[in-house]
Amino acid sequence: MGKTPVRMKAVVYALSPFQQKVMSGLWKDLPGKIHQKVSENWLSATLLLSPVVGTYTYVQYYLEKEKLAHRY
């Protein structure tokens, strides 16, 4: 069986100049959405950030102690 060429139509998508509010739903009630995400995931965020903040604090303390030890 031979292949027969099929004519394809090009589809062009465009926004109407009168309907430019495509992303408005993303910014609607943003503080409420942020509050909901934080209140749902506060335990996970705490368990993730505590070791990171603790390690950073320890490194800063250690570097300061090293500077003071080598000062003379």
Side-chain angles (χ1 to χ4, degrees):
M1 293 198 108
K3 295 182 180 178
T4 58
V6 177
R7 183 164 223 122
M8 302 283 287
K9 290 185 179 180
V11 178
V12 178
Y13 293 99
L15 289 175
S16 168
F18 302 108
Q19 296 178 354
Q20 292 293 332
K21 292 186 176 184
V22 175
M23 300 282 287
S24 65
L26 184 65
W27 309 111
K28 195 179 291 183
D29 192 31
L30 190 64
K33 290 179 183 176
I34 292 173
H35 180 270
Q36 180 183 4
K37 291 291 184 186
V38 169
S39 62
E40 288 175 357
N41 301 316
W42 67 270
L43 182 61
S44 298
T46 303
L47 292 176
L48 173 71
L49 292 177
S50 296
V52 172
V53 170
T55 303
Y56 179 77
T57 306
Y58 174 75
V59 167
Q60 294 302 318
Y61 169 75
Y62 183 80
L63 290 175
E64 188 65 27
K65 196 169 80 171
E66 282 289 314
K67 282 195 280 185
L68 291 175
H70 292 96
R71 143 176 93 165
Y72 298 113

